[in-house]
Amino acid sequence: MPLTTDQKNRKIPPKNRGGRNPEDEKKQDENERFEKLLDKFEDITTNGRLKDMAYHFTNKKEVIKVNLIAGVARGVGLTLGTAIFLGIFFLILANTVSLPLVGDYIASFLDMIESYRNQ
């Protein structure tokens, strides 16, 4: 696959070192093969991503399906994460804070409510 003009302009120019050496020619051949492979890899990834993006943005059903699944996954994840966090928080709270203190507070609160009802 030949290089496009844009790719040729982006190429880094090779450093010329005077006389020809068989090792230099071998390195140059390897570099050219490597550059061709890189160019091929770039084309594959760029074209593949563009096809994927074009498919997702032109197919409305696919966009709705993907966004619906993502929204449900976020909602379930948030709900489970919150439940786990609150469960651990209340477990730690129950083990560290004396519950009769909380019970006394609730009892006094209920007594205040009863006294206002009876008036």
Side-chain angles (χ1 to χ4, degrees):
M1 175 159 53
L3 297 176
T4 63
T5 54
D6 185 44
Q7 290 171 335
K8 287 179 185 177
N9 291 338
R10 285 188 291 155
K11 277 179 82 173
I12 299 171
K15 297 179 181 178
N16 296 326
R17 298 186 181 159
R20 290 275 179 183
N21 189 354
E23 288 182 20
D24 289 340
E25 288 179 11
K26 186 177 180 182
K27 286 181 184 178
Q28 187 176 2
D29 289 340
E30 288 176 2
N31 286 341
E32 286 176 7
R33 282 191 291 144
F34 183 68
E35 287 175 3
K36 286 180 184 177
L37 284 173
L38 278 178
D39 289 337
K40 210 181 265 190
F41 180 69
E42 180 183 14
D43 288 341
I44 289 170
T45 56
T46 304
N47 291 338
R49 180 169 284 181
L50 288 176
K51 286 178 187 174
D52 187 44
M53 287 174 58
Y55 175 73
H56 285 293
F57 285 117
T58 56
N59 190 351
K60 291 180 183 177
K61 288 181 182 178
E62 184 71 20
V63 172
I64 292 170
K65 182 179 85 172
V66 168
N67 286 332
L68 180 67
I69 291 171
V72 168
R74 285 186 192 109
V76 169
L78 182 65
T79 304
L80 289 176
T82 303
I84 291 170
F85 175 77
L86 289 176
I88 292 171
F89 177 72
F90 286 127
L91 182 69
I92 292 171
L93 187 66
N95 288 334
T96 57
V97 175
S98 158
L99 287 181
L101 181 69
V102 175
D104 290 341
Y105 175 74
I106 292 173
S108 66
F109 185 67
L110 291 174
D111 288 340
M112 285 190 321
I113 292 173
E114 269 310 305
S115 67
Y116 283 117
R117 267 193 195 166
N118 292 334
Q119 290 179 1

